[in-house]
Amino acid sequence: MDRKVEWRTDAGLTPYPEAVRAMEDRAAAIRVGTARELVWLVEHPPLYTAGTSAQDTDLLDAARFPVHRTGRGGQYTYHGPGQRVAYVMLDLERRGRDVRQYVTALEEWLIRTLARFDVVGERREGRVGIWVAGHGREDKIAAIGVRIRRWVSYHGISLNVGPDLSHYDGIVPCGIAEHGVTSLAALGKTASMADVDTALKDAFAEVFEEDPVALSAPEARIEG
């Protein structure tokens, strides 16, 4: 089996249930060795997803968009046009069986991707995801939500390129009410989705392929 990670980019808007079924099938195939690892880049129609720790009180407008209960860790988040979602299906059995290290690598991947657009993405203790500080506030620009089954990962990350940020008003994103959300467009960056995809691919190679053991492993975190 070729061990090079496969990349797939879907045009248009991918229905969320279809994506979950496809991820589960691919993860199972990776586990038995009949498929390569995959990073799958999609956009979804507007929707909310509820992770395994989602609180009903954090769904502020249940009628606004479809709500999908999902097996990933964490709470409520939003997906929609203008947001790049990267579903990451990797064989963690082969990569070291270290969930904390894996989540740290996802964070580093996003930080290095943002740096290519002169945006400083940062981690925050107790808050999963990647944050941008400025103007006396901190806003979330990228979320992380993973599931691991038999040491194969799926679900992954989402990065706000230019979505309608008002769509977040129907939820308390990741259960954090005291901070906002932002995007590359809101920060004045005119990057296209294709530009972001190129940056993601280049940064992925640095983090997961060229020097994959150079990251420290903090306390485990699986969604935000």
Side-chain angles (χ1 to χ4, degrees):
M1 173 64 64
D2 185 350
R3 289 196 168 186
K4 185 176 180 181
V5 176
E6 179 183 348
W7 285 74
R8 171 181 163 188
T9 304
D10 280 14
L13 301 179
T14 302
Y16 188 77
E18 175 185 306
V20 173
R21 287 193 298 270
M23 279 192 288
E24 290 176 343
D25 289 347
R26 183 61 173 250
I30 292 169
R31 183 68 184 90
V32 298
T34 58
R36 288 160 51 190
E37 296 176 310
L38 173 67
V39 178
W40 182 20
L41 304 179
V42 304
E43 289 178 83
H44 289 304
L47 59 93
Y48 298 129
T49 65
T52 55
S53 301
Q55 303 295 315
D56 290 343
T57 53
D58 288 340
L59 181 59
L60 306 179
D61 186 355
R64 186 166 190 174
F65 299 125
V67 179
H68 297 270
R69 300 281 171 176
T70 183
R72 63 159 174 80
Q75 303 184 48
Y76 281 102
T77 193
Y78 166 77
H79 294 313
Q83 181 193 74
R84 175 53 85 205
V85 177
Y87 290 128
V88 185
M89 287 150 272
L90 298 182
D91 181 358
L92 301 187
E93 176 86 46
R94 178 171 68 85
R95 291 173 177 268
R97 280 196 172 204
D98 192 329
V99 177
R100 292 176 297 176
Q101 177 98 345
Y102 173 59
V103 175
T104 300
L106 292 176
E107 293 172 336
E108 185 68 17
W109 178 29
L110 285 163
I111 288 168
R112 295 192 191 193
T113 298
L114 290 167
R116 285 164 162 79
F117 302 101
D118 297 319
V119 173
V120 178
E122 300 176 340
R123 299 174 174 92
R124 286 293 180 267
E125 187 68 28
R127 286 189 260 138
V128 187
I130 300 302
W131 300 79
V132 176
H135 307 292
R137 57 182 287 175
E138 292 181 348
D139 294 321
K140 192 170 193 174
I141 194 168
I144 298 171
V146 305
R147 185 169 185 182
I148 296 168
R149 179 180 292 170
R150 299 181 67 195
W151 291 109
V152 178
S153 68
Y154 57 112
H155 294 278
I157 65 168
S158 59
L159 174 61
N160 288 341
V161 180
D164 184 340
L165 296 178
S166 72
H167 288 179
Y168 281 90
D169 293 345
I171 57 171
V172 178
C174 301
I176 301 172
E178 61 270 28
H179 298 285
V181 291
T182 192
S183 66
L184 288 175
L187 295 172
K189 308 299 180 180
T190 57
S192 68
M193 197 65 77
D195 294 333
V196 170
D197 291 348
T198 297
L200 282 166
K201 192 166 187 178
D202 291 345
F204 183 93
E206 294 174 359
V207 174
F208 288 94
E209 295 172 341
E210 295 173 8
D211 194 11
V213 297
L215 303 173
S216 60
E219 186 175 335
R221 297 171 298 228
I222 59 171
E223 193 280 333

